[in-house]
Amino acid sequence: MRVLIVNTSEKTGGAAVAANRLMEALINNGVKAKMLVRDKETDNINVVALPQGIVTRWSFLWERLTIFLRLRFSMRHLFKIDTACCGTDITKMKEFKEADIIHLHWINQGMLSLKGIQKILASGKPVVWTMHDMWPATGICHLTLGCERFKSQCGQCRLLPGGGSSNDLSSKTWRRKNSIFSKHDISFVTCSKWLANEAKESALLAEQHVTNIPNPIDTNIFKPADKKEARTRCGMPQDKRIILFVSQKVTHSNKGMDYLIEACDILAKNNPEAKNNVAVAILGGHAEEITGRIPFEAIPIGYVNDTKQIINIYNSADVFVLPSLSENLPNTIMEAMACGVPCVGFRIGGIPEEIDHRKNGYVAEYRNANDLANGIHWILNEADYKSLSNEAITKVARCYSQRSIALKYIEVYNQALTKKNYRL
């Protein structure tokens, strides 16, 4: 079986990390898998880049320009919207022709156009599409954030000036998607049960099969290590309990940094001694912009792309906190848990599927900084820390190992092939 995984980036972003890990998991379990990307970042021979021509270079810029014009020259929602109005036709590529299964992941920002997706579906090859957000099930947005128009038909979009109209960009794109999806069978996969339930509510996917398979992680790489040694390797203080926050861009409002800061203020107020024995490590871009707002010692690590160093950082932490306002199935929580670090997050999206409340971490009430502080305090001062750590490691090994996830996807591939052959 030959599988072609298609994703905009090779390494940057959660979807890229998940797609890359899936490719490795499939290869390690006997599947001939390759990855096709626009942005190739390594010399991995199993990862192929799009032909770098004028179309490839300008697709991203042209789509952003058309959206910018629709937003009346506002940058506010520029990267919350995708229209797939342009992209590269991959059906002529050798890798596409050789593949038995086409496995789409996050293909936005000029990677594939709706026209290109239609060509892929019309080729007759079975298509599996892993959803990393809601875009395949909506008109133009990646995060619905309470909007339910996708359940019937998009329009009057909150992201468009004036709240859009019944025939706005979201409505037109929704109808284009519907005209494509309604004519073809697509095997949709979501990384969390939460996203699967949301996707099944979409009128766009009403006739499609949606299943849930989590992202895989290599537990031979992400694993516990001696905390003191890990801290020495990444320059962390040995005499403090470390709260870790990780995000590609830590100032992104959706990642909830404001709630972590508020929770830290609560902890400092209720436990004055914590100011001397607690530190907050911040891994991600723009980390230095946050340090002055935290009442504890702040350690701005910045952006790191070396996996070994990232694992050292996880193993340096006593608790990992991700107060995101919207999430699918965060790789960062999975990574921290694999290293034996208990996690705290809000009850939103797939986070409660990863964190078992008071068993391997703490699930705080949504947008509740007080409860977030309670969770951090409980893990650091009251819980049986060794038990939490062991339960976290066990959960990852049981639910997210490479082999278990690869076997689930192989089953989906076989079903898609059987269904396609039956229709032929």
Side-chain angles (χ1 to χ4, degrees):
M1 183 188 297
R2 288 182 167 86
V3 177
L4 182 64
I5 294 172
V6 185
N7 196 77
T8 300
S9 174
E10 178 185 2
K11 287 285 188 180
T12 302
V17 171
N20 214 291
R21 289 176 180 171
L22 176 60
M23 177 184 70
E24 293 173 0
L26 292 171
I27 291 172
N28 291 339
N29 284 274
V31 176
K32 295 179 180 179
K34 286 187 176 182
M35 191 169 169
L36 175 63
V37 300
R38 184 192 67 192
D39 305 327
K40 183 172 168 62
E41 301 169 58
T42 73
D43 57 0
N44 189 333
I45 60 173
N46 293 312
V47 180
V48 181
L50 291 178
Q52 296 301 305
I54 294 177
V55 173
T56 304
R57 289 196 298 269
W58 286 98
S59 290
F60 167 78
L61 294 174
W62 179 253
E63 184 184 37
R64 289 310 104 189
L65 176 60
T66 59
I67 294 171
F68 186 54
L69 294 174
R70 293 278 190 165
L71 294 176
R72 298 175 186 170
F73 308 102
S74 170
M75 296 281 289
R76 186 180 176 189
H77 299 311
L78 184 58
F79 288 95
K80 296 178 182 178
I81 292 173
D82 273 292
T83 60
C85 63
C86 50
T88 302
D89 178 5
I90 66 171
T91 60
K92 299 176 182 178
M93 295 183 65
K94 176 174 70 72
E95 290 76 16
F96 181 91
K97 294 177 180 178
E98 291 175 347
D100 301 306
I101 297 282
I102 306 302
H103 190 162
L104 306 181
H105 281 256
W106 201 88
I107 44 73
N108 298 112
Q109 296 191 358
M111 174 71 184
L112 296 182
S113 64
L114 290 178
K115 183 178 180 181
I117 293 170
Q118 185 174 21
K119 284 188 175 182
I120 292 170
L121 293 167
S123 72
K125 292 181 182 288
V127 174
V128 175
W129 193 338
T130 293
M131 294 174 58
H132 295 276
D133 56 36
M134 279 293 287
W135 187 82
T138 70
I140 57 176
C141 72
H142 294 274
L143 303 175
T144 54
L145 297 177
C147 175
E148 297 187 346
R149 295 190 182 279
F150 70 95
K151 294 181 179 181
S152 53
Q153 178 176 326
C154 288
Q156 297 179 322
C157 182
R158 60 184 172 79
L159 298 177
L160 298 174
S165 67
S166 58
N167 192 38
D168 60 17
L169 183 62
S170 70
S171 176
K172 291 176 181 177
T173 308
W174 194 97
R175 292 198 300 271
R176 285 193 65 198
K177 286 183 178 180
N178 190 50
S179 69
I180 296 170
F181 293 176
S182 62
K183 298 173 184 175
H184 301 279
D185 289 323
I186 307 171
S187 300
F188 283 97
V189 178
T190 65
C191 304
S192 68
K193 295 175 184 176
W194 165 81
L195 188 59
N197 291 334
E198 289 289 295
K200 289 174 183 178
E201 292 288 320
S202 170
L204 276 175
L205 309 188
E207 302 301 320
Q208 306 291 352
H209 180 68
V210 180
T211 190
N212 162 236
I213 302 176
N215 299 327
I217 188 169
D218 190 344
T219 51
N220 293 314
I221 296 175
F222 285 87
K223 59 185 179 180
D226 183 89
K227 198 172 293 294
K228 289 184 178 180
E229 292 180 4
R231 289 186 178 188
T232 298
R233 285 192 287 266
C234 57
M236 296 280 194
Q238 298 284 358
D239 60 343
K240 295 192 176 184
R241 290 175 294 177
I242 296 176
I243 300 168
L244 176 63
F245 175 90
V246 177
S247 176
Q248 184 178 351
K249 183 181 178 182
V250 303
T251 54
H252 194 299
S253 59
N254 189 58
K255 294 301 178 181
M257 174 54 80
D258 288 343
Y259 286 92
L260 177 56
I261 293 170
E262 187 178 350
C264 287
D265 287 335
I266 294 168
L267 288 169
K269 180 180 178 181
N270 295 340
N271 307 275
E273 71 281 0
K275 291 185 178 181
N276 298 319
N277 59 31
V278 172
V280 179
I282 308 167
L283 172 60
H286 302 269
E288 68 286 348
E289 298 177 21
I290 302 298
T291 56
R293 300 173 58 195
I294 295 174
F296 306 124
E297 177 187 350
I299 307 169
I301 302 170
Y303 183 77
V304 176
N305 59 9
D306 179 77
T307 301
K308 290 182 179 179
Q309 188 67 349
I310 290 172
I311 293 169
N312 284 330
I313 293 167
Y314 278 123
N315 276 294
S316 297
D318 294 289
V319 58
F320 175 73
V321 184
L322 186 66
S324 292
L325 306 184
S326 177
E327 280 289 356
N328 184 7
L329 196 78
N331 291 317
T332 51
I333 287 180
M334 193 183 299
E335 291 163 358
M337 290 175 63
C339 294
V341 181
C343 299
V344 180
F346 284 140
R347 190 178 300 280
I348 188 69
I351 289 177
E353 297 172 34
E354 292 179 295
I355 304 174
D356 299 314
H357 187 51
R358 290 182 176 265
K359 185 176 180 181
N360 55 38
Y362 191 98
V363 181
E365 291 307 311
Y366 187 53
R367 291 179 181 264
N368 189 326
N370 277 292
D371 202 23
L372 197 69
N374 289 339
I376 298 169
H377 177 79
W378 179 75
I379 288 174
L380 293 180
N381 301 289
E382 299 174 0
D384 181 342
Y385 190 87
K386 186 176 181 181
S387 176
L388 287 179
S389 178
N390 289 338
E391 288 289 347
I393 296 166
T394 300
K395 172 72 177 282
V396 172
R398 184 177 70 251
C399 299
Y400 309 126
S401 70
Q402 278 196 346
R403 179 166 175 75
S404 65
I405 302 306
L407 291 177
K408 288 179 181 179
Y409 266 112
I410 290 170
E411 183 178 353
V412 170
Y413 297 152
N414 284 328
Q415 289 174 350
L417 283 166
T418 301
K419 191 173 184 180
K420 181 65 68 172
N421 290 336
Y422 176 77
R423 289 189 66 186
L424 293 175

